[in-house]
Amino acid sequence: MKYLKNATTLQYDPGKCTGCGKCTEVCPHAVFEMKDGKAGIIDRDRCMECGACALNCEFGALSVGSGVGCASAVIKGMLTGGEPVCGCGDSAKNTGCC
Amino acid sequence: MKPLRIFDQDKSGARGQSCCAPSRSRTGLADDTAARHQAAQAVKVIMGEKPRWQTGIMNSASGLVPIVSGEWSRADRRGQIRARMGSFRMDYIVKPGLYAIGRPGASSEIFVSANYKLSFDILRRELAGISGWILVLDTKGVNVWCAAGKGTFGTDELVKRVLAVKLAETVSHRRLIVPQLGATGVRAAEVKKRTGFTVCFGPVEASDIKEYLAAGRHATPAMRTVRFGMARRLILTPIELNQAMRKFPLAALVVLAIFGLQPSGILFYNAWYEGWSFLALALAALLAGSFITPVLLPYIPFRSFSVKGLVTGAAAVVPLVLLTPLGGPSWFLKASEMTLFPLLSSYLALQFTGATTFTTISGVKRELKVWVPIYIAGLAVSAVLIVLHKIQSWGLL
């Protein structure tokens, strides 16, 4: 299953990649693959912007504007003017996601 | 309270590092019965009444550690169902801290989990037969992945727990097995720097843990990928329906009042006859958006959730309006229904993005930018059409 085309902010700088392979380990959608000692992006559209790769890349080769891909959180963010925050776990402002 | 079993690792000689461990039961009580009594008292204080899934307590460098069962009781199964249905999941928690499963020693693996009871239950069930430590983080009762996204299942909390339970004294190795989906919140390199423990990202699913361990802590590409099959989607729909239904009684009241409204007051005959049909169509749209769309997700054309919901909503509502008496007496009313309900389904389908495993925040924002104006316009158009229908039915048009 794939979401919209080109709907990710994932950015990869091959120049900074040292080939440690951490991104292939943490990505839940197999976006990366190791090729010739460096990470390569196989399919960008599989990315869900969870941010695990960017957080765990020690060399700053990856960046992604992560956040919850949740409509009610985004709507709430629009209405309150704040960042989209998923309200799960807080029964007072539960948005119903996750 | 059931009698407690005490496994004193010092006496069985199974523990590796014990020289400087200030454990609670070694306060000079040589007598086994006294130690047992003291442990039982401590458990009452620490745990409150002992839950079914706790089978005993053991002594370690971390202090007294509850031993948990790999089995699910009826209460655990009932808890899972209730948590899947609605707001019960908000309070379905276990106490953060260290737990033991089987008879772990200094070389046993440490599995990190969230304090959402269902996450914890699934982990201990999948670990049945293995001896190991379970380190439960305080994620405010939220599952690993969602908590990682919020940062509660994160580097700081993990570091804090590792230090708080004196893990370095409890085990001789320096490895933590963290669920892969926790990587969104846990920065492995920083955990290593601050605690000395290496984070090994385990498989996505707890059910793959045994295979992962057997392969020498190696996860295959399949174990690293999130699956989102029909069973998984189906299990998420009660929450969606529950959320959607929450506003239904109020909406129903308003609808019945509108349909009953006559120049002479509110008539129950009209309220019932037209209002009922209208609400039945609303229910169909609700099912299309919150149930059919999630379950049949990959089989519905288009990638956009709004469009998917529009497709299922139209497929459910348009035939009912045109081919059955549910559509009501006038074309104004029919047109209003055919505008409003597919859009309602579309809106509800869009809500499901929060439960999926593959939508992005960029994509959701893009959808909303296009569709929120359409929803507002659709609402206005259908309201105008209903007014026209009312005026017509009062014989003014």
Side-chain angles (χ1 to χ4, degrees):
Chain A
M1 260 172 282
K2 280 189 209 171
Y3 196 38
L4 307 178
K5 280 202 180 86
N6 215 4
T8 173
T9 50
L10 178 68
Q11 295 295 330
Y12 169 55
D13 179 354
K16 290 185 183 166
C17 177
T18 60
C20 73
K22 205 72 180 172
C23 51
T24 60
E25 202 182 316
V26 299
C27 177
H29 287 292
V31 169
F32 307 98
E33 195 181 56
M34 297 306 291
K35 256 184 283 177
D36 309 322
K38 261 186 198 285
I41 294 180
I42 319 173
D43 188 347
R44 233 171 141 258
D45 284 346
R46 280 196 218 145
C47 172
M48 60 167 294
E49 297 183 326
C50 73
C53 58
L55 185 71
N56 277 286
C57 179
E58 289 176 59
F59 311 98
L62 288 160
S63 75
V64 60
S66 64
V68 281
C70 166
S72 51
V74 175
I75 291 172
K76 218 175 62 191
M78 282 173 169
L79 293 176
T80 58
E83 275 294 296
V85 180
C86 155
C88 331
D90 185 346
S91 36
K93 50 174 183 179
N94 175 32
T95 52
C97 55
C98 60
Chain B
M1 198 158 171
K2 285 185 178 166
L4 294 159
R5 279 190 292 137
I6 299 173
F7 299 120
D8 194 321
Q9 295 287 333
D10 285 341
K11 278 169 194 153
S12 65
R15 211 177 61 201
Q17 301 175 330
S18 60
C19 48
C20 53
S23 72
R24 273 170 214 246
S25 71
R26 288 198 286 155
T27 47
L29 287 164
D31 178 34
D32 191 48
T33 325
R36 207 178 275 250
H37 176 72
Q38 192 203 21
Q41 289 305 315
V43 167
K44 272 185 193 159
V45 174
I46 296 168
M47 307 288 299
E49 200 54 34
K50 185 170 73 74
R52 228 356 192 330
W53 44 265
Q54 190 195 319
T55 55
I57 189 136
M58 66 177 276
N59 197 1
S60 78
S62 310
L64 293 170
V65 177
I67 302 169
V68 302
S69 162
E71 302 277 313
W72 278 28
S73 68
R74 196 184 294 165
D76 296 327
R77 282 190 289 273
R78 204 171 45 229
Q80 173 182 25
I81 293 168
R82 287 184 66 193
R84 297 279 193 199
M85 300 301 285
S87 58
F88 174 74
R89 66 197 176 128
M90 298 300 164
D91 304 308
Y92 201 44
I93 57 174
V94 290
K95 199 174 178 294
L98 192 64
Y99 293 83
I101 186 157
R103 301 187 66 159
S107 58
S108 303
E109 298 289 355
I110 301 153
F111 303 91
V112 182
S113 187
N115 82 323
Y116 178 38
K117 171 116 188 318
L118 187 52
S119 306
F120 177 74
D121 277 357
I122 290 170
L123 176 61
R124 65 184 175 84
R125 184 183 66 195
E126 298 303 336
L127 290 178
I130 292 181
S131 285
W133 304 98
I134 300 176
L135 183 66
V136 174
L137 304 189
D138 185 2
T139 60
K140 315 289 173 211
V142 173
N143 69 69
V144 172
W145 205 9
C146 287
K150 293 159 175 293
T152 43
F153 189 102
T155 309
D156 288 339
E157 168 65 13
L158 179 57
V159 168
K160 197 183 110 192
R161 288 287 155 200
V162 166
L163 300 177
V165 304
K166 303 192 182 98
L167 220 44
E169 295 168 33
T170 310
V171 295
S172 53
H173 63 81
R174 291 292 176 262
R175 282 185 310 275
L176 298 167
I177 297 178
V178 174
Q180 186 195 323
L181 296 182
T184 296
V186 172
R187 194 177 166 89
E190 198 182 327
V191 174
K192 169 97 183 169
K193 208 181 291 170
R194 287 164 65 183
T195 64
F197 278 85
T198 302
V199 169
C200 305
F201 288 113
V204 165
E205 302 285 342
S207 53
D208 288 329
I209 287 178
K210 281 182 185 163
E211 215 183 310
Y212 165 83
L213 293 175
R217 290 187 300 276
H218 174 76
T220 62
M223 287 184 205
R224 291 246 170 266
T225 315
V226 166
R227 290 173 293 265
F228 198 49
M230 195 184 277
R232 187 61 60 91
R233 298 194 302 271
L234 190 64
I235 221 169
L236 294 168
T237 53
I239 294 268
E240 297 297 314
L241 284 169
N242 215 332
Q243 296 279 345
M245 285 304 285
R246 203 178 279 177
K247 289 152 198 145
F248 196 74
L250 185 69
L253 217 63
V254 173
V255 165
L256 290 176
I258 291 172
F259 281 101
L261 197 65
Q262 297 294 313
S264 53
I266 291 177
L267 282 186
F268 278 102
Y269 177 77
N270 291 64
W272 188 247
Y273 176 70
E274 283 176 9
W276 181 87
S277 307
F278 197 82
L279 290 178
L281 292 170
L283 266 182
L286 213 139
L287 277 176
S290 295
F291 182 77
I292 305 287
T293 309
V295 171
L296 299 181
L297 201 61
Y299 310 106
I300 302 165
F302 306 104
R303 287 188 181 183
S304 150
F305 278 56
S306 328
V307 181
K308 280 178 190 285
L310 193 73
V311 169
T312 50
V317 172
V318 172
L320 287 176
V321 170
L322 296 180
L323 307 174
T324 72
L326 285 176
S330 85
W331 279 103
F332 284 128
L333 185 57
K334 286 186 213 274
S336 170
E337 290 159 344
M338 286 190 288
T339 311
L340 183 64
F341 293 131
L343 288 175
L344 174 65
S345 168
S346 164
Y347 176 79
L348 292 171
L350 194 51
Q351 300 300 309
F352 190 64
T353 51
T356 63
T357 57
F358 63 97
T359 55
T360 64
I361 190 163
S362 308
V364 169
K365 278 181 177 164
R366 195 197 290 175
E367 287 209 52
L368 285 171
K369 215 169 176 180
V370 175
W371 284 88
V372 166
I374 297 176
Y375 296 145
I376 293 170
L379 207 62
V381 167
S382 60
V384 168
L385 287 166
I386 285 182
V387 171
L388 289 174
H389 159 69
K390 294 301 295 187
I391 294 173
Q392 189 189 39
S393 71
W394 294 339
L396 301 174
L397 200 77

